[in-house]
Each structure stands twice: as structure tokens, then as C-alpha cells.
Amino acid sequence: MDVHIVPGVKAKDVAEAHRLDMLRQHEHGCNCMTYWIDEARESIFCLVEAPDKQSVEEMHSKAHGLVPNKIIQVNSNLVEAFLGRIYDPSDAQISNEGLKVFADPSFRILLVTKTTDPVLLKHQLGDEKTGELLSAHTSIIRKNILQHGGREVEHEGSGFVVSFSSASEAIACALAIRKEMPGSISEQIDLKLAVNAGEPVERSEHLFGETIQFASNMCRIAKEGRIAIASSVKELIADDLFQKERKYFLNLLPHDEHLLKLLFTKLEENWQDADFDMSDYCDATAMSGSQLYRKTIALTNLSPNSLVKDFRLHKAKELMRKRYYNIAQITFDSGFTSASYFTKCFKKKYGLLPMTYLELLH
């Protein structure tokens, strides 16, 4: 999938460019499957079967000269789950020139939910109790996804990613889940919900990567059962809905949202570097030590040191889930310098030793 940012773009112009692509596609081993166009946001996203990125660039260049701003590899099943189709819409109009013209934006509102890692839940509560809790939680979420026109994209055990075309439906779904989920279940599985919006291709190499990542980070700071809502989503919903249900929402000011993104972006860039310390964190965020401490506490309820350590522990757990590591390798790869210190921190946060977690996992 590639993205083109074209000021003043119109649906008819994109239909013509797509026609020109299709005339040249076989010369480059490509198959132009479909596209999405958003005239308001001046963006075009093309879905192409191709041997490599260079082939896509060459095809576009020779067909019409619109070279992509970025290209990423995608799974067609994921594209369909997020966007609802991988071919042209069946109801597209045919122009007098024989062009299939449609204006179908790819902008989506994503509901991301998080729960405690099922492996940790089973260690704490036992297999049977964990199974009952997660089954009830999953049933409530899936029922509301269906009722509010959402599309389930992912469900990997510790949460869902759900795609919506409508911000109001995404918020209504999140509210319904929060109200219907018994407190006894929410508290035991530590259910968190966040709603963010974005485009399929941005800076990340993953489909809707930034949108999902920031929603996940908003889940980290959502307290007291509140639903974290990005400012881009709040702008799309009726203010009376927001005010009426205000007690259920966590909505950051744009400045705080920018700062939260900055804090986690710098952690994403540096968490594996064992030499990354508080001085480096200050430099990376362009803040003094006192500013960084004050802002981090206000946004995350953690000190900068604790946030870095917490982030590395979370990433270490992700590494363990990907493949079997020994503890020394996990320590090194997650930015810790001492296996004993890593083990102590892991035990304090998760209630079991890293080796025990690995054994339970595998």
C-alpha cells in the first residue's frame, strides 16, 4: 500500500491515474487492486500486488508521474479487516469517459482495548477462572462490535483492535462496552479502552501503525475505568454526547497529547539502548530534568525513571512472546545491564520470575 499526498486532488483525476496504472501494471509485474481517496485530506492510498516497492514506484512514475510519498508491505486480509474491501467498491459510478469514479476515504477510527496478559492472569487466578473472565469479556465486546458496525481487526488475547468508519459509532461502542462490562470483570482483567483515528500509511512500516500505537499508549494512562479519546476523535463527535457522558472519558488537551506522543516516541527509539539515561531523555524531549519529571508524573503517574523501566519490562515481555530467549539475552535486548536487576524488576512488576513466565508461555 502506498500513499500520495496531492493538494487539490479530485476523485475523477485519481480514477484516470488508476486507469493509466492498469495500462502499465503488467510491465512491472504489478496488479493494481484498488485505491482510497480523501478529497478533504488530499490523500490517496493505492493497494497493489507487486514484487517489491521499486516496481510500484516505477509503474506510478511511468503511468502518470505521481510518485508515492511512502510504501509499506501489507497483508490483504488486514487491509480488508481495517478498510472493508480490497477491490473497487461494487457501487462505483461509471463516468461518460468510462472511468470508475468513487470517493472512498481510508480514514478510520480505531477502538483499542487492553487487558492484563492472559499468562499472568492464569498464574494469578488459575486457568478456569481466567477462562471464565476472558470469555465473558470477549462475548460483551464482540456483541457490541456487531451492534455498532465495527470490524474486528485483531484479537491476540490481551485485547482487541476494532475499525470504524464513524467516530460516533466507535465512541458509542466503547461506552456500551464500559457500561455493560461488570465491574468485577473489568477490575480483575484491568480492562482499558482508547479511541484514536488515522490513516493506513503514515511513518510506521505497519498498517495503521501510529494510530494503534498511540491508542495503546493512551490505554496505559487511562485510570478509573475512563475511555481515553484522542483529540482528533473528539473533534468528530457531537459535543453534547461528550458532555453528557463526560465522566466516562479521558480527553487530553492537544499540548498534553503531543507531549505524551513525544515521551513514548523517544522510548520507542531508545528502549534497547542500555546507555539511554535521564540526561538523554531530557535531551531527546528538549526539557530540563525538573520539567521532564513534572510532565511525566502529570501524564503517566510515573517518574521518568519508572516510565523507562516499565516500558523496557513491557518490551521484554513482548520479546519473550515472539520466541524463546534465555534470560541473559532478554536482559541485553531490552536495555537492562544486569540480569539480576532485570529479574528483580520483572518479579516486582509482574509477580513472577522471568523464567517462570517463559515456562508458562511456552
Side-chain angles (χ1 to χ4, degrees):
M1 179 171 278
D2 63 46
V3 56
H4 305 260
I5 307 301
V6 184
V9 67
K10 298 298 179 185
K12 186 176 179 181
D13 298 331
V14 180
E16 173 61 18
H18 185 59
R19 184 187 70 82
L20 294 173
D21 276 333
M22 294 180 71
L23 291 175
R24 308 299 295 264
Q25 61 184 358
H26 299 301
E27 299 171 17
H28 304 277
C30 296
N31 173 27
C32 299
M33 299 170 70
T34 191
Y35 62 87
W36 290 261
I37 171 177
D38 191 331
E39 292 182 345
R41 296 181 177 85
E42 302 183 319
S43 60
I44 311 155
F45 295 84
C46 304
L47 184 64
V48 185
E49 281 186 329
D52 49 48
K53 296 179 182 181
Q54 184 179 355
S55 299
V56 177
E57 290 177 342
E58 291 176 352
M59 177 190 68
H60 282 324
S61 179
K62 291 181 179 179
H64 45 67
L66 291 175
V67 178
N69 294 73
K70 185 179 178 65
I71 304 173
I72 65 170
Q73 289 185 327
V74 295
N75 178 298
S76 60
N77 292 330
L78 271 183
V79 173
E80 188 167 17
F82 274 115
L83 298 174
R85 62 182 180 85
I86 56 172
Y87 301 108
D88 291 348
S90 58
D91 59 351
Q93 295 183 348
I94 306 298
S95 72
N96 294 332
E97 296 84 2
L99 293 175
K100 191 183 288 185
V101 181
F102 54 90
D104 182 17
S106 60
F107 187 80
R108 292 293 183 271
I109 296 83
L110 303 185
L111 167 61
V112 173
T113 78
K114 294 290 182 182
T115 68
T116 299
D117 182 341
V119 174
L120 297 177
L121 278 176
K122 289 177 181 178
H123 176 72
Q124 297 164 5
L125 305 174
D127 289 359
E128 184 177 351
K129 181 64 173 178
T130 298
E132 291 173 358
L133 289 171
L134 292 180
S135 177
H137 144 270
T138 299
S139 177
I140 291 170
I141 288 183
R142 284 188 167 144
K143 183 191 80 172
N144 282 286
I145 291 173
L146 184 63
Q147 289 179 348
H148 293 89
R151 301 182 65 88
E152 181 181 328
V153 179
E154 293 179 1
H155 177 222
E156 298 183 344
S158 60
F160 286 81
V161 175
V162 188
S163 176
F164 293 86
S165 299
S166 161
S168 58
E169 288 292 354
I171 295 299
C173 182
L175 275 169
I177 290 168
R178 176 52 74 195
K179 291 178 178 180
E180 190 175 339
M181 194 74 66
S184 57
I185 295 179
S186 294
E187 291 170 11
Q188 290 186 81
I189 66 174
D190 194 23
L191 176 64
K192 304 288 183 67
L193 300 99
V195 185
N196 194 15
E199 299 281 15
V201 183
E202 297 182 68
R203 293 183 302 277
S204 171
E205 293 299 317
H206 302 286
L207 199 66
F208 287 98
E210 276 92 351
T211 307
I212 295 171
Q213 186 63 59
F214 188 61
S216 298
N217 290 335
M218 287 197 297
C219 282
R220 288 170 174 264
I221 66 167
K223 305 296 182 185
E224 299 172 350
R226 290 194 291 172
I227 302 161
I229 302 179
S231 56
S232 59
V233 177
K234 183 178 181 296
E235 292 171 359
L236 298 172
I237 62 174
D239 193 56
D240 58 344
L241 169 63
F242 182 80
Q243 295 301 331
K244 180 181 178 183
E245 306 287 3
R246 189 177 187 85
K247 66 179 182 179
Y248 290 102
F249 297 138
L250 168 65
N251 178 236
L252 296 176
L253 296 173
H255 176 267
D256 288 335
E257 190 171 289
H258 172 75
L259 181 56
L260 187 68
K261 288 180 180 178
L262 178 64
L263 290 173
F264 281 107
T265 296
K266 296 308 174 185
L267 287 180
E268 284 287 350
E269 292 172 358
N270 296 285
W271 64 276
Q272 289 185 292
D273 181 2
D275 294 326
F276 182 74
D277 58 17
M278 288 307 100
S279 175
D280 297 321
Y281 206 3
C282 289
D283 291 342
T285 55
M287 285 187 277
S288 67
S290 59
Q291 283 178 312
L292 180 63
Y293 183 87
R294 187 172 65 254
K295 294 290 188 180
T296 306
I297 285 284
L299 285 173
T300 70
N301 207 31
L302 293 171
S303 69
N305 262 316
S306 296
L307 182 62
V308 173
K309 182 171 64 177
D310 190 77
F311 194 85
R312 284 173 167 155
L313 288 170
H314 175 74
K315 290 293 189 179
K317 198 152 62 67
E318 284 188 352
L319 290 176
M320 291 187 221
R321 297 187 70 85
K322 290 178 181 177
R323 71 178 195 189
Y324 193 95
Y325 278 81
N326 61 49
I327 299 304
Q329 190 65 47
I330 296 167
T331 298
F332 176 79
D333 286 351
S334 54
F336 288 88
T337 56
S338 162
S340 61
Y341 180 66
F342 165 70
T343 298
K344 177 183 176 182
C345 292
F346 193 96
K347 173 74 183 306
K348 183 177 180 180
K349 179 171 177 61
Y350 297 119
L352 74 173
L353 296 172
M355 185 54 70
T356 304
Y357 181 83
L358 276 172
E359 290 169 354
L360 291 171
L361 187 62
H362 296 287

